[in-house]
Amino acid sequence: MTLFQNLHAALRQRVDIVADHALRERDPAAHLDAIKAAASHLDAIVADLPPDIDPNLQHYLERQSYLKAIAWLEENSPNP
């Protein structure tokens, strides 16, 4: 898997976990733990990105505009 594929997967995982209302209602503590784990994983991947990534993608990641970052990757990466 490429760095951008890993980034895409981590972004998707983070967005999906936040949107998991069933888990949040069933077990709020587990939901929070899952969000923290996904955020930590995403942070590690973002820290490994080269400093010269596209400014738009950098902006989306810094602002935590994860859906926009996913869309950018899907439009601009050969294999998101």
Side-chain angles (χ1 to χ4, degrees):
M1 222 184 236
T2 69
L3 185 59
F4 285 127
Q5 288 172 323
N6 285 335
L7 176 60
H8 185 271
L11 287 164
R12 175 57 51 203
Q13 180 185 34
R14 171 76 164 61
V15 167
D16 290 347
I17 289 170
V18 169
D20 188 349
H21 302 291
L23 177 58
R24 184 178 66 209
E25 297 212 0
R26 185 175 63 254
D27 191 344
H31 186 247
L32 183 57
D33 288 344
I35 291 172
K36 288 179 183 179
S40 178
H41 179 67
L42 178 57
D43 288 346
I45 291 172
V46 169
D48 285 340
L49 291 174
D52 62 343
I53 65 168
D54 183 273
N56 288 321
L57 179 58
Q58 183 69 36
H59 173 80
Y60 299 145
L61 294 171
E62 287 174 357
R63 300 283 187 236
Q64 296 183 353
S65 299
Y66 297 142
L67 293 176
K68 289 180 181 179
I70 290 168
W72 188 95
L73 287 166
E74 290 174 352
E75 291 175 13
N76 295 285
S77 293
N79 296 311

